[in-house]
Amino acid sequence: MKYLKLLYKMKKTVAQIFVLIGLCQLSLFTKAQGDHDLWLKKVTPVSVNVVAAKKGAFVNVAIQELQQNWAGKANATVTLLVKPDVAVKDDGFKLTANSIQANNDMGILYGAYELLRRQQTGQLVNNGEIVNPSYQQRILNHWDNLDGSIERGYAGNSIFWKGDKNTTITDNDKKLWLEYARANASIGVNGSVLNNVNASPQILSADNLQRLKAIADVLRTYGIKSYLSVNFSSPVRLGGLKTSDPLDANVIEWWKTKTKEIYALVPDFGGFLVKANSEGQPGPQDFGRTHADGANMLADIVKPYNGLVMWRAFVYNPNDKDRAKQAYNEFLPLDGKFRDNVIVQVKNGPIDFQPREPFSPLFGAMKQTPLMAEVQVTQEYLGHSEQLVFLSSLWEEFLKADTYQEGKGSTVARTTDGSIYNQKNTAIAGVANVGLDSNWCGHPFAQANWYAFGRLAWNNNLTSEQIANEWLQQTFSSNISDKNNPLAVSEWQRNFLVPAKKIMLESHEAAVNYSMPLGLHHIFAGNHHYGPGPWYAPKNLRVDWTPPYYHQAAANGIGFNRTKSGTDAADQYHPALAATLNDVNTCPEVYLLWFHHVAWDYKMRNGKTLWDELCYKYDSGVKQVREFQKDWDALERYVDKNTFLEVQRKLKRQEKDAQVYKDGCLLYFQQYSKMPIPYELERPVYDLKYLLSMDMLDVNK
Ligand code: GCW
């Protein structure tokens, strides 16, 4: 019944939406949009005949997409069939070169995007190929504030919220939301949390819920569910109650009424995301209750509506000896205590989206509670939207990391996607990098991170190379001189695709090298996290917000001792892995200073001292960026002028940034190592004194 009503509502909006879709496609012709159209470049379509027995809303969108973007055989007939197939899971589908079969309408639309992607990237379709999603919910988390600003957003203000103007909804807003939804659907993203996890209680005000409805009505066109982050003390701060204790009857009643109000406006509302008792946010612990008490209270309330509660495990308090241990310590004892519509959202690493972290030990360890990984698409710690860093490599490394929890091969991917544990709900989240900038993400290559998140959420087995290949081809192939000429195509692949892909695939390691190699972490400049700040330690700041807490540099060496003789964090991993990590001789060197405090003259496996190796790593990071600059310049004739110049300019800045990192970190650490920078390496170009007082965010602009 509820579903029927929803369908009715959808039909009502379908007409409006089609006008909008038309508008948004038209604008591609009327306005030079630069790279606003992302990887969905407008093509001159080849004619195609699409046949569908039943035409639901998403099937109609699929037909339109196929007709407008077909790049397969001319005059082919494509059949769309909604018919269950045992091998097809959720909104997956079965493909041939000219048919799509799926369990539901949405599967047909995903199938259409896949078929088009194969055509544009020259990948063959195997007859009867089954393409299933790894996770049921593939969600972008927007850290958008109601005033329009975005926490850790580097691409302009929010596309959803506008401060005072939150109540006016323009055609332009709707057009943008629709384009956003289409881009997401094309890569398989099916959910958006519309506001910051540091949530204002006002998000649940009547006005803002009207706006939620307006957004949800548009996003639904492409199968995107809307979710909200909520503030745990909303009953007090918005509702005027005396307490927000999750076990208090009035509090429960308040949430029930609010939830009812939301579902009356948005019948397919996805549910709540909660950051509780973390970084000053309120939570159930304020009332002596547990995270499970808080999550379960909300879960019971959204359950009748099929809603989900995503409860974040990003918790740490200033008094504990090791921040890296805290999420595990707090959440593991709660395993099995959550309702079945709660899913615990865990950041990929135990600390905080660092350039490189080992995976959080919660993955695989919580066996009776579904966990959803949270990765950060926005580049808080990886150069904002100034630096070219392809994050797919980081996420691939994370998803493929072995937890050993159920024997060898228990990768993070498999512990979260239902292939090892029998989770009822599976999901993954990415902190969005989308804003009002005309190219959405700030840096042209930051679009690739949005793309990669969606693709990995759909298929956690993809390689970064495959993803880079796809993205580059869809984004830049309009510059092939003649697409029908195989020679021109292979020339483009050789001279553009291969070198551009190389830059992307090396970019993450380069960033690690010039910022935080060998397991160093969180040695950023304070607050904005752009640039180095190993020295940053204001007297009044809690120590776990200062870099010296993390690098522990001293005369006797550098690194955080998390072994048995230190904080013992390594023992939070499965014994098979803990043994490897605990032993300095077997610990992977990429995590050396994460787990060990090591003497400056410690011998690395290549025979160099730790100090020399550190110098080499920083130096190689700088050199890699210089190579990217050269490689990029050679691609000029294959890229439109604006994009070419913008990337060129940003790479120039990235090179200066890398130099600042290298000089800042090495000169600062040298005060403790008292060893020379190997003479064969280039000398620092900055003075430490200058670097201590400069702000890289301003200086290298
Ligand atoms: O990475 C840190 C950020 C905060 C963020 C927090 C979190 C939304 O510096 O800006 O707050 O993590 O994930 O909750």
Side-chain angles (χ1 to χ4, degrees), residues 167-186:
T167 45
T168 341
I169 292 157
T170 65
D171 281 351
N172 217 30
D173 292 332
K174 287 197 193 168
K175 181 173 148 284
L176 210 58
W177 299 340
L178 197 71
E179 290 171 342
Y180 161 86
R182 175 172 178 243
N184 274 330
S186 77

Side-chain angles (χ1 to χ4, degrees), residues 32 62 71 169 185 206 238 255 258 338 363 374 399 401 414:
I169 292 157
L238 183 68
W255 281 110
K258 217 5 120 185
F338 292 97
F363 291 106
E374 177 182 357
L399 288 165
R414 299 184 65 237

Side-chain angles (χ1 to χ4, degrees), residues 143 151-152 154 196-198 275 278-279 281 312 314 316 323 347 351-354 374 376 380-381 431 522 527 529:
W143 286 357
E151 183 155 350
R152 313 302 179 187
Y154 312 105
N196 192 351
V197 285
N198 289 329
K275 171 175 177 178
S278 156
E279 297 187 329
Q281 292 297 324
R312 291 176 97 225
F314 178 64
Y316 61 101
R323 172 171 167 184
K347 288 190 181 182
I351 296 214
D352 191 9
F353 301 137
Q354 295 302 291
E374 177 182 357
Q376 198 179 39
E380 174 179 0
Y381 296 102
V431 180
H522 227 312
N527 305 321
H529 300 156

Side-chain angles (χ1 to χ4, degrees), residues 92-359:
F93 47 85
K94 188 171 169 176
L95 279 188
T96 70
N98 49 16
S99 76
I100 307 168
Q101 183 186 333
N103 295 339
N104 52 44
D105 260 38
M106 200 53 213
I108 298 286
L109 181 55
Y110 288 137
Y113 286 123
E114 182 69 27
L115 209 51
L116 296 173
R117 178 163 40 242
R118 301 285 177 101
Q119 292 172 354
Q120 284 159 19
T121 59
Q123 300 176 73
L124 294 178
V125 176
N126 298 322
N127 240 347
E129 190 177 332
I130 306 280
V131 184
N132 282 328
S134 297
Y135 300 97
Q136 293 155 353
Q137 315 301 335
R138 306 169 292 273
I139 305 181
L140 280 181
N141 291 355
H142 289 263
W143 286 357
D144 295 16
N145 299 313
L146 293 176
D147 68 1
S149 62
I150 302 181
E151 183 155 350
R152 313 302 179 187
Y154 312 105
N157 269 5
S158 169
I159 63 168
F160 299 121
W161 310 99
K162 291 187 166 175
D164 292 348
K165 296 199 205 75
N166 276 346
T167 45
T168 341
I169 292 157
T170 65
D171 281 351
N172 217 30
D173 292 332
K174 287 197 193 168
K175 181 173 148 284
L176 210 58
W177 299 340
L178 197 71
E179 290 171 342
Y180 161 86
R182 175 172 178 243
N184 274 330
S186 77
I187 51 176
V189 169
N190 65 356
S192 300
V193 180
L194 303 176
N195 65 310
N196 192 351
V197 285
N198 289 329
S200 160
Q202 289 304 321
I203 187 71
L204 297 177
S205 74
D207 278 354
N208 285 323
L209 291 184
Q210 284 300 332
R211 194 167 176 94
L212 158 73
K213 176 186 160 41
I215 299 170
D217 283 347
V218 174
L219 300 194
R220 185 181 299 118
T221 321
Y222 286 95
I224 315 289
K225 266 191 186 179
S226 299
Y227 299 73
L228 290 181
S229 298
V230 290
N231 183 300
F232 203 75
S233 63
S234 304
V236 171
R237 292 177 57 198
L238 183 68
L241 266 52
K242 290 215 164 56
T243 176
S244 295
D245 181 347
L247 303 191
D248 180 281
N250 292 328
V251 170
I252 297 171
E253 208 38 53
W254 188 87
W255 281 110
K256 267 195 184 149
T257 310
K258 217 5 120 185
T259 303
K260 199 168 159 197
E261 190 185 336
I262 297 174
Y263 277 96
L265 295 166
V266 185
D268 57 347
F269 179 68
F272 298 127
L273 170 63
V274 191
K275 171 175 177 178
N277 293 120
S278 156
E279 297 187 329
Q281 292 297 324
Q285 293 176 344
D286 305 348
F287 311 96
R289 315 295 183 196
T290 66
H291 284 288
D293 293 331
N296 291 344
M297 180 270 292
L298 291 173
D300 288 341
I301 292 172
V302 296
K303 176 101 179 172
Y305 307 96
N306 287 324
L308 268 185
V309 171
M310 299 174 287
W311 193 269
R312 291 176 97 225
F314 178 64
V315 293
Y316 61 101
N317 72 60
N319 306 320
D320 205 281
K321 285 233 151 36
D322 187 355
R323 172 171 167 184
K325 290 178 71 176
Q326 298 185 42
Y328 181 98
N329 286 345
E330 275 193 46
F331 277 81
L332 199 71
L334 300 175
D335 193 15
K337 302 217 163 88
F338 292 97
R339 299 284 191 270
D340 68 359
N341 58 332
V342 174
I343 179 155
V344 174
Q345 181 166 310
V346 182
K347 288 190 181 182
N348 59 287
I351 296 214
D352 191 9
F353 301 137
Q354 295 302 291
R356 170 171 276 133
E357 293 191 49
F359 64 87

Side-chain angles (χ1 to χ4, degrees), residues 361-651:
L362 279 169
F363 291 106
M366 280 183 87
K367 298 174 198 288
Q368 296 165 61
T369 310
L371 298 192
M372 62 190 287
E374 177 182 357
V375 298
Q376 198 179 39
V377 189
T378 190
Q379 292 167 243
E380 174 179 0
Y381 296 102
L382 282 143
H384 297 189
S385 58
E386 299 306 322
Q387 299 179 7
L388 190 167
V389 185
F390 183 46
L391 298 176
S392 181
S393 320
L394 187 166
W395 303 329
E396 184 186 353
E397 182 175 298
F398 158 66
L399 288 165
K400 292 183 178 160
D402 201 339
T403 71
Y404 291 92
Q405 290 289 351
E406 300 295 323
K408 208 170 161 17
S410 309
T411 58
V412 170
R414 299 184 65 237
T415 65
T416 50
D417 68 7
S419 27
I420 295 187
Y421 304 123
N422 197 15
Q423 290 103 333
K424 192 173 142 221
N425 295 304
T426 60
I428 187 164
V431 180
N433 63 350
V434 167
L436 279 174
D437 268 14
S438 68
N439 87 341
W440 301 92
C441 304
H443 194 304
F445 277 77
Q447 295 180 352
N449 292 332
W450 180 6
Y451 183 86
F453 169 72
R455 295 292 290 134
L456 282 170
W458 181 276
N459 180 352
N460 59 18
N461 248 320
L462 286 178
T463 65
S464 301
E465 177 171 10
Q466 282 169 287
I467 296 171
N469 242 328
E470 285 180 10
W471 181 78
L472 283 165
Q473 293 193 68
Q474 292 170 87
T475 307
F476 292 105
S477 68
S478 51
N479 291 303
I480 299 178
S481 57
D482 175 6
K483 278 200 182 164
N484 296 321
N485 175 356
L487 277 180
V489 174
S490 72
E491 189 266 348
W492 180 85
Q493 290 181 338
R494 201 173 48 248
N495 294 337
F496 175 79
L497 186 64
V498 171
K501 190 166 68 185
K502 186 164 169 285
I503 297 179
M504 290 173 79
L505 294 179
E506 288 176 6
S507 61
H508 171 247
E509 201 61 44
V512 169
N513 287 338
Y514 66 67
S515 67
M516 266 148 261
L518 299 177
L520 283 173
H521 51 285
H522 227 312
I523 56 173
F524 289 95
N527 305 321
H528 58 55
H529 300 156
Y530 190 86
W535 47 80
Y536 177 75
K539 284 263 167 330
N540 305 326
L541 205 62
R542 44 191 274 194
V543 288
D544 59 349
W545 284 350
T546 69
Y549 169 93
Y550 297 99
H551 62 64
Q552 307 268 320
N556 70 353
I558 180 171
F560 199 122
N561 183 355
R562 297 194 164 103
T563 67
K564 285 186 199 306
S565 64
T567 66
D568 206 15
D571 274 334
Q572 291 184 332
Y573 292 91
H574 185 273
L577 182 56
T580 313
L581 299 174
N582 261 308
D583 183 346
V584 73
N585 297 309
T586 52
C587 179
E589 286 184 341
V590 290
Y591 302 129
L592 186 66
L593 305 179
W594 184 284
F595 288 106
H596 297 267
H597 186 79
V598 177
W600 296 106
D601 61 357
Y602 168 82
K603 275 259 163 358
M604 302 294 290
R605 274 159 228 162
N606 63 9
K608 289 198 184 85
T609 63
L610 168 71
W611 168 252
D612 281 2
E613 182 69 357
L614 210 54
C615 295
Y616 267 91
K617 285 286 180 199
Y618 275 106
D619 188 69
S620 69
V622 177
K623 287 188 174 131
Q624 279 172 292
V625 181
R626 290 185 188 149
E627 286 302 308
F628 299 160
Q629 288 183 282
K630 286 196 251 170
D631 293 344
W632 181 254
D633 280 0
L635 303 181
E636 182 166 5
R637 54 190 272 250
Y638 301 99
V639 183
D640 71 88
K641 193 159 183 194
N642 287 342
T643 307
F644 174 75
L645 291 175
E646 194 182 354
V647 174
Q648 187 185 53
R649 182 174 57 75
K650 288 189 184 255
L651 279 172

